[in-house]
Amino acid sequence: MTSAPPATPVPAGVRATARIRATADGRGGTALPLLAGEGPLALRRTRGEGAEAGVMLVGAMSAPLGGDHLAVEADVGAGARLALATAAATLALPGRGGEPARYDVRLTLEEDAALRWLPEPLVSVRGSDLRVRTRADLAPGSRLLLREEQVLGRAGESGGLLRSRLTVTRAGRPLLDQELACGPGAPAGWDGPAGLAGHRSLGQLLVVDPAFEKAPPAVAVLGEFAAVTPLAGPAVLVTALAPDALRLRELLDAARRTYGW
């Protein structure tokens, strides 16, 4: 009597990728030849502004939970314009086995492309463990408007462990590479005076625009806990801390009106 072969291990968690490809349509607008979502990542086309195509990322189920690996990949071809947003806040939730969840975003912009990536806040729920990685690769003549908002915990609760990294290259050269870790298990000092200083919401607005080569923004302070930092390239980074998500959005919206489009 032969024994049954050992069962093949089943990976824990959901694996899903949303893929978007935007191209110039030759008539002054933008076409979407690829718009494909999986699992909890559903994509819907929306009305854009002018030559811009709009895409909304809609959560079809609760995610990411511990053990999930979600990814968003957006390629913007030469001369195309894309506005990419999410329909609601993303909640990072704990899983059954205690595994971390992963959320990867990959943005690629060709020459004379423009992308606005404006997701709703990411909420780190108590007991969760999420690792976020955002990477943007830009051609020299492309433009990028990127917003990140992260909230530690829902109302009345502490946050989970959140680790995120943002990497941006332009013409193959590094423009920005930074990491953040906060919540239980993060290195000591993350909530101290040199870190979040007791705030629950943190965010940033990155604007990369060739126009800054001739007229770079100046260093500035936007209130007590927000700062404007020109980068070594045609880009500016606005970072902000706030007691809640509403105040954080107000700060970043003001910065967008000044530096973005």
Side-chain angles (χ1 to χ4, degrees), residues 76-81 107-116 136-145 168-172 175 207-213 233-235 261:
V76 188
R81 307 284 184 264
L107 311 172
T108 304
L109 283 71
E110 297 179 15
E111 189 64 25
D112 192 38
L115 171 62
R116 294 189 294 156
D137 297 305
L138 283 64
S142 61
R143 295 189 300 158
L144 173 67
L145 174 63
V168 182
T169 65
R170 180 176 181 267
L175 179 66
V207 184
V208 183
D209 193 332
F212 292 157
E213 291 180 324
W261 71 91

Side-chain angles (χ1 to χ4, degrees), residues 28 60 101 114 146 190:
L146 181 150
W190 67 269

Side-chain angles (χ1 to χ4, degrees), residues 30-125:
T30 298
L32 297 172
L34 177 61
L35 199 62
E38 297 177 338
L41 302 176
L43 297 171
R44 301 289 183 267
R45 178 157 189 169
T46 61
R47 180 174 296 180
E49 300 177 4
E52 190 177 66
V55 175
M56 186 70 68
L57 183 62
V58 181
M61 57 191 292
S62 295
L65 292 94
D68 290 353
H69 185 182
L70 307 182
V72 177
E73 299 175 357
D75 295 324
V76 188
R81 307 284 184 264
L82 177 65
L84 181 58
T86 59
T90 298
L91 269 64
L93 301 167
R96 293 183 177 180
E99 306 95 338
R102 292 179 57 189
Y103 197 127
D104 297 330
V105 177
R106 181 68 181 265
L107 311 172
T108 304
L109 283 71
E110 297 179 15
E111 189 64 25
D112 192 38
L115 171 62
R116 294 189 294 156
W117 170 229
L118 299 171
E120 293 301 305
L122 169 64
V123 182
S124 175
V125 172

